[in-house]
Amino acid sequence: ISKVPGVMITQYIEELPEGMTTPDFTRKPIALTIQEGKLAIFKAKVSGNPTPTVSWRRAKGEMNDPQKFQNKYDPTTNEHTLEIPQVSCDEADTYKCYATNEYGKAVCPVILNVIEVGFKKNKELQKAEAAPAADPTEFRKMLRKGAGKKVEEKKEGDIDDSVWELLLSAEKKDYERICIEYGITDFRGMLKKLAEMKKEREEEQTRFIQYLSNLKPIEVKSEDAASFELEMVLKDPNSRIFLYKDGIMIPFSKDVEGEMKHGLNKVGKKYIFTVNSLNPEDAGIYQVDVEGVNIFSTDFKIPPVEFALKIKEVTAQEREDAIFECVLTQPVSKITWTLKNTPLSNNEKYEITCSEDKLIHRLRIIDCMPLDAGIYAAIAGIKSSSAWLIVEADKDPATKGKKKAQKFTLNIPESKTCNLDSPPRFMVPLKIHTAPQGYECYMSCAVRGNPTPHVTWYHNNVSLNTDTNYYITNTCGVCSILILRVGAKDMGEYKVMAESPLGRAECTTNLTVRGKGLHEELTSLDESYTIKHLMTVGFLSSIL
């Protein structure tokens, strides 16, 4: 019997000669979920006397192509690997690693899941395109048949494994966002299957996990690092923990001061995983496994946001309030404020607010004391802006130690006598948008010019500035338009024109509207089911 879970050993003879052993795995291969086109690698280490021979097989196909399936062995690490370059959906299968010698064999199965990239054509259509020309009438019948199955298949079969992993780790209030983002329209079917998967996952986790709670999704915590955390107690403290990004295993350091890109800091029951030196390529799905069993998955998204106006140095007298303010180029509901790389939250000391259009964000430091001085930072996505807060001691004996009326000053550089006039130009242009029918759509751009240019929005060359169906704002040069409920009439070209006495500039984009959205699907449910289930996932507030 193997000490490694999931390994089956077969002994060929009843009694082994002295010093001889059957094969076994000291490190078994770990299941992979990987995107198409990536390199998939299974790794294994074996033991046994005499030294076992290692081979690989798959359940549903052959492995005769040496270009696709490459068996390798590293004598320095005693590591056997199976490499599958540029993996495709055809390689998604259950693989088995065999270790054999003259006294027995050890077998360990491992699963390879492949995430499809982009939208795939209906299989029936692919077959039809590959087949010889046929009767047009029969071909139209086949199309109708395929169209009837499309919605049914999308309900369950077309949801990627990585999306299920996100749902298993997400809170109920996040179900709506994930469903909309990944095009899941059968909400009722999703909930049913998710309940079944959660039960299976809990049974798997109980093999290695004694306690698991407080799973917190990945967030940017400082100016150059993001982290996610969970509380966990292992049944065996020596169980191995693995970290994956988009299905690929990545190394991490357990040294807090380590220089590796990814790190793990364990404090009591709390495990904190950190991603350092952030860049756009760090976006993706992160997954934590214990001995091949998924424990937690979190999706790290990096919004394409910039600072239109950064925070500036603030000087405040003791017992006064101080305010930092920044303006973003894209609406963000929440940004992170830090003091000396320590995240701040709303409390009696700090008041964090943002404008209705989610572009202007403010941090108020209430009743400033000398200890409040330091470097404050605003973090949006992976972009950050930092500035000093200087707290001057109160030298007036009449007011010393007393709370003062709200007042603060900004250190603004002296204006220079120079011509700052400039014609209009777009710092951030409009981007192409695709929105589900019935949902809101937000578009924005940033324009600069002196004197301040007049901005006009057009839809298919018709001015929208006086159209009450559109909510148009212009804040510090960040121009935005909000369409509350997108319909077919909203499709087409959108143009922003900025004009001033010094010239004119314009930028355009196109809006594409997708078909029936999740909101319309849910309204077709009976009222009692809708009220009962939507309250549990946070939908009720959005409907009301």
Side-chain angles (χ1 to χ4, degrees):
I1 298 176
S2 175
K3 295 181 180 179
V4 179
V7 175
M8 183 176 68
I9 296 178
T10 303
Q11 186 171 312
Y12 294 154
I13 60 177
E14 186 174 348
E15 292 187 9
L16 296 173
E18 186 177 352
M20 299 294 108
T21 61
T22 56
D24 197 358
F25 284 80
T26 57
R27 175 182 173 182
K28 69 175 185 177
I30 302 299
L32 287 179
T33 299
I34 194 168
Q35 286 184 348
E36 279 185 304
K38 301 288 187 178
L39 169 64
I41 303 178
F42 290 119
K43 298 181 180 181
K45 289 185 179 181
V46 299
S47 62
N49 189 17
T51 302
T53 301
V54 174
S55 60
W56 301 81
R57 300 177 194 170
R58 57 181 296 190
K60 300 177 183 177
E62 300 294 331
M63 300 176 60
N64 300 326
D65 188 347
Q67 298 298 321
K68 280 195 172 184
F69 303 98
Q70 301 172 8
N71 299 333
K72 297 182 180 180
Y73 173 66
D74 186 348
T76 57
T77 61
N78 193 31
E79 194 169 65
H80 297 266
T81 60
L82 171 63
E83 297 185 6
I84 310 175
Q86 295 183 335
V87 70
S88 68
C89 294
D90 293 336
E91 280 79 61
D93 202 346
T94 299
Y95 291 78
K96 289 184 178 181
C97 183
Y98 291 82
T100 59
N101 64 15
E102 59 185 283
Y103 298 110
K105 69 176 180 180
V107 183
C108 180
V110 63
I111 296 175
L112 172 62
N113 296 309
V114 179
I115 302 172
E116 293 182 353
V117 178
F119 294 98
K120 298 298 180 182
K121 292 183 179 179
N122 184 281
K123 293 181 180 179
E124 294 296 328
L125 286 175
Q126 289 180 334
K127 291 178 182 178
E129 291 172 353
D135 182 0
T137 304
E138 294 300 320
F139 182 68
R140 284 194 293 270
K141 287 180 181 179
M142 184 197 67
L143 285 178
R144 287 197 296 270
K145 182 180 178 182
K149 291 183 178 179
K150 185 176 181 182
V151 173
E152 181 180 352
E153 290 176 351
K154 182 67 177 176
K155 290 179 181 178
E156 290 187 352
D158 289 349
I159 302 177
D160 291 332
D161 289 343
S162 59
V163 181
W164 285 118
E165 296 291 353
L166 288 177
L167 288 166
L168 285 167
S169 298
E171 296 182 12
K172 290 182 179 180
K173 64 182 178 65
D174 294 326
Y175 288 173
E176 177 187 17
R177 174 184 59 79
I178 296 174
C179 287
I180 294 173
E181 185 173 340
Y182 291 96
I184 302 172
T185 57
D186 181 17
F187 186 69
R188 186 183 308 194
M190 181 277 292
L191 285 177
K192 181 179 178 181
K193 183 173 180 180
L194 187 63
E196 296 172 356
M197 294 181 70
K198 280 190 173 183
K199 185 177 180 181
E200 294 175 2
R201 174 60 54 82
E202 289 171 357
E203 291 175 355
E204 289 181 347
Q205 291 177 346
T206 54
R207 293 163 50 197
F208 305 103
I209 307 300
Q210 181 176 328
Y211 171 84
L212 181 67
S213 69
N214 292 335
L215 287 73
K216 296 183 179 179
I218 190 167
E219 290 182 350
V220 178
K221 298 292 187 181
S222 65
E223 291 189 70
D224 64 346
S227 65
F228 60 96
E229 60 186 64
L230 56 114
E231 292 184 8
M232 178 172 64
V233 176
L234 301 173
K235 289 185 175 180
D236 180 1
N238 296 318
S239 294
R240 294 167 299 173
I241 299 174
F242 302 96
L243 180 63
Y244 295 85
K245 178 181 177 291
D246 294 331
I248 299 175
M249 186 186 298
I250 50 178
F252 59 88
S253 170
K254 295 184 180 179
D255 182 3
V256 178
E257 304 297 331
E259 298 181 356
M260 293 183 66
K261 175 77 173 177
H262 304 88
L264 168 62
N265 181 23
K266 183 177 180 297
V267 181
K269 295 185 293 186
K270 183 180 290 187
Y271 291 76
I272 304 173
F273 292 86
T274 303
V275 185
N276 300 303
S277 304
L278 293 176
N279 57 65
E281 288 72 31
D282 293 322
I285 297 176
Y286 289 81
Q287 175 181 323
V288 177
D289 284 15
V290 174
E291 295 292 355
V293 175
N294 178 252
I295 302 301
F296 182 49
S297 296
T298 181
D299 194 1
F300 186 29
K301 295 188 178 300
I302 299 177
V305 63
E306 301 280 349
F307 283 89
L309 183 66
K310 295 187 174 183
I311 64 175
K312 299 182 183 299
E313 182 179 291
V314 174
T315 300
Q317 287 193 353
E318 188 177 349
R319 304 307 304 271
E320 287 182 346
D321 292 354
I323 295 179
F324 287 104
E325 182 176 278
C326 63
V327 181
L328 306 180
T329 58
Q330 295 278 350
V332 177
S333 59
K334 180 183 177 183
I335 69 172
T336 301
W337 291 92
T338 67
L339 168 59
K340 301 172 184 175
N341 283 335
T342 301
L344 306 177
S345 58
N346 262 316
N347 53 38
E348 65 276 2
K349 185 65 183 177
Y350 304 106
E351 180 183 87
I352 299 173
T353 58
C354 72
S355 60
E356 186 177 351
D357 60 9
K358 302 178 183 178
L359 293 174
I360 305 174
H361 294 258
R362 298 182 182 89
L363 168 67
R364 182 192 299 274
I365 299 96
I366 302 170
D367 193 11
C368 289
M369 303 297 289
L371 288 176
D372 297 322
I375 299 178
Y376 288 76
I379 303 170
I382 60 172
K383 301 294 182 178
S384 63
S385 172
S386 57
W388 274 89
L389 169 63
I390 300 172
V391 180
E392 295 180 341
D394 187 3
K395 299 179 181 179
D396 186 351
T399 60
K400 191 171 184 178
K402 297 180 181 179
K403 181 75 172 73
K404 294 180 176 59
Q406 177 183 338
K407 184 178 72 175
F408 66 94
T409 59
L410 295 174
N411 285 345
I412 302 176
E414 294 182 4
S415 59
K416 298 180 181 180
T417 56
C418 61
N419 184 10
L420 299 178
D421 291 351
S422 62
R425 61 191 181 102
F426 285 90
M427 309 302 295
V428 180
L430 290 169
K431 297 180 180 178
I432 297 175
H433 287 266
T434 300
Q437 182 175 336
Y439 286 85
E440 69 176 31
C441 176
Y442 183 92
M443 292 183 282
S444 67
C445 59
V447 65
R448 178 178 293 177
N450 190 23
T452 302
H454 175 72
V455 175
T456 307
W457 284 82
Y458 295 89
H459 176 218
N460 294 332
N461 292 322
V462 177
S463 174
L464 301 177
N465 279 30
T466 58
D467 193 329
T468 58
N469 293 319
Y470 300 88
Y471 180 62
I472 297 174
T473 60
N474 185 347
T475 306
C476 298
V478 179
C479 309
S480 62
I481 186 170
L482 176 64
I483 308 172
L484 292 178
R485 291 181 63 84
V486 172
K489 63 180 177 59
D490 298 307
M491 294 179 64
E493 181 186 74
Y494 285 79
K495 178 169 65 177
V496 179
M497 183 174 294
E499 299 176 281
S500 78
L502 298 181
R504 172 190 297 177
E506 64 179 52
C507 65
T508 61
T509 187
N510 281 289
L511 172 62
T512 303
V513 179
R514 293 203 302 266
K516 186 176 180 182
L518 177 62
H519 178 77
E520 293 179 51
E521 180 74 17
L522 290 176
T523 56
S524 65
L525 300 177
D526 60 277
E527 181 180 355
S528 61
Y529 181 86
T530 303
I531 298 296
K532 177 180 178 182
H533 288 277
L534 296 191
M535 285 181 66
T536 64
V537 295
F539 277 31
L540 191 56
S541 60
S542 63
I543 294 176
L544 296 177

